[in-house]
Amino acid sequence: MSEITNYKYYVGGKFIQSTSGNLIEIICPYDQSIIGRVQAISKEEADVAIAATKAAQKDWADTDLFKRADLLNKWADQLEIDAEEIAQMIMREVGKTWNDAVKEVTRTAEFIRYTVQEFIHTNDAAMSGANYPGGSKNKFAIIKRIPLGTVLAISPFNYPVNLSVAKLAPALIAGNAVVFKPATQGAISAVKLIESFDKVGFPADILQLITGKGSDIGDYVSEHDGIDMISFTGGATTGRHLSSFSTMKPMVLELGGKDPAIVCEDADIDKTVAEIMSGAFSYSGQRCTAIKRVLVHATVADELSEKLKTAVEKLSVGMPIDNPIIVPLINEGAADYVQGLITDTIAAGAELLVGNKREDNLIYPTLFDHVTTDMRLAWEEPFGPVLPIIRVASDAEAIEIANASEYGLQASVFSQNFSRAVAIAEKIEAGSVQINGRTERGPDHFPFLGVKNSGMGVHGISRTIESMTREKLLIINV
Ligand code: NAP
């Protein structure tokens, strides 16, 4: 039997062991083997990691932009070299299929390169006093963007590399230092990510990887005076909790969703079915932007539900290495929760079309018709492969149900009447509305945001850079 590795955290440009002696075992979601252990660092070690960023950040911000860019580009190259090794860990640790795990790493290398270019092409702006009534033509403002200082990057389990780098790369190119706290289930993938970062030769202390349970050190580091900005992606409950004590600290939150797919009677039903299927079920629905409810006009509901049923029955189910659509969920608690929702929906009287089968953490894809608004499944985010169909009588009813959710991340509208689709989209309370396409995050340079309990602030490469910098004016009086 091979020995179990104790993965170290990363501070001062070195991988080190916590003096706490506390380790967290990381269990593979699909074969329950121990993949490794990560350090549960102490609050004092978090203090040291954060304090060390202060001097390093000033030097880093003063470093020639093209030197910073060169290092980040080298990291992108290194990620491509290390892609298979990192992908292997993503697959083992968060149960993502092999193909998707490799894609996650290569997509991330592209993300870094684009981010570097985006920042290089961001120029300072200038204004003249003469453009304000009574203003002086002898006054000029140069508006620069400067880094905020030390960014705390907290990422979720489901994209342990991509959603982490979506914070790290914009922060670093803009001249910030970063304290990176990954999801515990995802922390070994984060160590692998930082191993490739370490090979490139960045200065010490501009990026610290700290590991440990959010429930133990999360509040402490989030409240820490040494943190100048928080960039968080995760569940709504955690996000709301963080926002409750982030006094005067800029914060961007990307949270959960209950994205509706609204299907009008004039939709191209075959295309709609294909989009809903990939939107709802890929990676077993463990995507913030998964389609999590279907609101269909009653006149086409039979046809849609029949075709969705056929498609769900054909979904491949299995282990990540075989690249199926449906893989085991992240842990037993997640599978219990999804199974609970399924059992509850059956008891509440919805029609089960396919599914309600479980083997350990593997929940088979499950489709319900005739779900009504008094059922939990109409409102809760399962983060698993279960999709409710809710029948509606009008566009107005679809909009009303879509907007009654606590969430507002994305939505899809399917109709061949473009004006009608746009009219619906304009009334939906969500960060983005896809017309005739599945809900999804990319491409990564689009702004990405949620409203209500789905988030605060905006992500997407240029917007993330903006959120991690602030304007500073130099006013020249001639
Ligand atoms: P989570 O349980 O909220 O955890 C997210 C991160 O927060 C983890 O790193 C976690 O660390 C940390 N954390 C927990 N308690 C904390 C505290 N008190 N202070 C600071 N950090 C704390 O979410 P998850 O289960 O990993 O991810 C699934 C959720 O994320 C879903 O709701 C999904 O919709 C959402 N999500 C949203 C987006 C988006 O872009 N909108 C993208 C992906 C996922 P530990 O792991 O150590 O607990």
Side-chain angles (χ1 to χ4, degrees):
M1 216 172 92
S2 62
E3 207 171 301
I4 294 164
T5 306
N6 294 339
Y7 290 91
K8 297 173 175 164
Y9 75 113
Y10 184 76
V11 167
K14 291 191 176 59
F15 287 95
I16 56 174
Q17 225 162 297
S18 169
T19 54
S20 74
N22 295 328
L23 295 164
I24 305 167
E25 244 167 34
I26 307 295
I27 309 287
C28 175
Y30 52 91
D31 67 14
Q32 273 68 53
S33 63
I34 301 170
I35 307 169
R37 302 186 191 92
V38 294
Q39 313 287 321
I41 70 159
S42 66
K43 290 176 179 166
E44 292 71 29
E45 286 165 328
D47 285 339
V48 171
I50 294 169
T53 59
K54 294 298 156 192
Q57 187 268 324
K58 289 198 167 39
D59 290 345
W60 177 242
D62 281 345
T63 302
D64 183 82
L65 171 59
F66 285 87
K67 170 80 178 151
R68 299 204 303 263
D70 183 49
L71 285 166
L72 279 154
N73 284 329
K74 284 192 173 126
W75 186 23
D77 296 344
Q78 190 63 47
L79 280 178
E80 283 170 342
I81 295 166
D82 298 340
E84 295 218 342
E85 187 187 339
I86 300 172
Q88 181 72 22
M89 190 50 76
I90 295 176
M91 182 180 78
R92 297 262 298 125
E93 193 176 21
V94 302
K96 189 165 287 187
T97 64
W98 172 248
N99 287 348
D100 284 350
V102 174
K103 215 186 301 163
E104 180 168 341
V105 184
T106 50
R107 168 187 175 191
T108 300
E110 281 164 19
F111 183 100
I112 294 175
R113 294 192 186 104
Y114 190 101
T115 303
V116 165
Q117 285 306 314
E118 180 71 28
F119 190 78
I120 285 174
H121 296 134
T122 307
N123 285 306
D124 295 342
M127 290 174 88
S128 163
N131 292 50
Y132 193 80
S136 165
K137 67 179 184 340
N138 295 331
K139 214 179 245 304
F140 296 92
I142 299 170
I143 305 161
K144 300 166 69 66
R145 288 211 82 90
I146 62 166
L148 294 179
T150 301
V151 170
L152 172 63
I154 305 180
S155 52
F157 80 82
N158 59 342
Y159 291 85
V161 165
N162 187 263
L163 287 181
S164 300
V165 171
K167 303 170 187 313
L168 309 186
L172 291 172
I173 191 64
N176 295 286
V178 181
V179 174
F180 169 30
K181 151 71 187 100
T184 297
Q185 188 81 32
I188 307 183
S189 304
V191 171
K192 292 278 157 203
L193 172 70
I194 300 309
E195 280 174 7
S196 87
F197 174 93
D198 181 62
K199 289 175 190 164
V200 171
F202 282 92
D205 289 319
I206 59 150
L207 190 155
Q208 323 280 44
L209 167 66
I210 61 171
T211 55
K213 292 222 164 98
S215 50
D216 292 337
I217 54 161
D219 287 8
Y220 185 74
V221 290
S222 304
E223 276 181 303
H224 203 289
D225 282 346
I227 296 297
D228 300 301
M229 187 265 173
I230 301 175
S231 177
F232 173 86
T233 305
T237 309
T238 321
R240 281 188 85 87
H241 169 71
L242 289 185
S243 73
S244 68
F245 56 75
S246 69
T247 330
M248 297 287 283
K249 215 170 256 184
M251 183 177 232
V252 174
L253 302 172
E254 295 182 327
L255 309 175
K258 184 73 179 171
D259 295 358
I262 295 177
V263 185
C264 300
E265 63 275 50
D266 57 4
D268 173 339
I269 295 293
D270 290 329
K271 178 176 170 19
T272 302
V273 167
E275 292 292 324
I276 290 176
M277 289 302 295
S278 92
F281 291 103
S282 59
Y283 188 32
S284 286
Q286 295 175 112
R287 294 167 49 243
C288 57
T289 52
I291 290 176
K292 291 172 184 145
R293 48 192 172 136
V294 174
L295 305 175
V296 58
H297 274 256
T299 47
V300 286
D302 286 345
E303 183 188 356
L304 184 83
S305 73
E306 191 50 43
K307 288 187 168 167
L308 280 175
K309 175 173 182 272
T310 306
V312 172
E313 283 166 345
K314 287 191 193 137
L315 281 175
S316 49
V317 178
M319 293 297 128
I321 190 69
D322 300 320
N323 294 306
I325 302 294
I326 303 296
V327 288
L329 297 183
I330 191 68
N331 55 40
E332 198 184 344
D336 287 348
Y337 176 68
V338 175
Q339 184 59 54
L341 271 179
I342 293 171
T343 307
D344 191 81
T345 310
I346 293 170
E351 185 185 350
L352 175 71
L353 297 179
V354 200
N356 186 28
K357 180 176 164 195
R358 174 179 181 180
E359 289 159 11
D360 301 318
N361 295 347
L362 182 62
I363 300 276
Y364 280 70
T366 299
L367 181 67
F368 282 103
D369 198 353
H370 297 286
V371 171
T372 50
T373 53
D374 53 349
M375 300 179 191
R376 282 173 59 207
L377 188 58
W379 307 113
E380 293 183 28
E381 181 190 37
F383 229 55
V386 51
L387 184 65
I389 298 173
I390 300 171
R391 295 174 175 229
V392 295
S394 62
D395 292 356
E397 191 188 0
I399 293 163
E400 189 188 326
I401 296 174
N403 290 346
S405 169
E406 66 177 291
Y407 295 110
L409 192 56
Q410 288 208 347
S412 293
V413 179
F414 294 95
S415 166
Q416 293 188 78
N417 178 338
F418 185 68
S419 310
R420 177 182 183 179
V422 169
I424 296 172
E426 285 184 346
K427 293 202 173 75
I428 300 288
E429 294 162 4
S432 337
V433 183
Q434 307 261 357
I435 293 176
N436 293 323
R438 71 171 202 164
T439 47
E440 63 184 353
R441 187 188 172 91
D444 289 324
H445 68 312
F446 282 8
F448 181 74
L449 69 155
V451 300
K452 302 192 276 186
N453 274 351
S454 289
M456 195 173 83
V458 189
H459 258 272
I461 294 174
S462 63
R463 305 302 195 276
T464 306
I465 290 172
E466 276 174 23
S467 75
M468 294 173 170
T469 52
R470 65 182 162 85
E471 290 182 327
K472 180 166 183 183
L473 277 75
L474 298 185
I475 300 174
I476 317 285
N477 295 280
V478 295

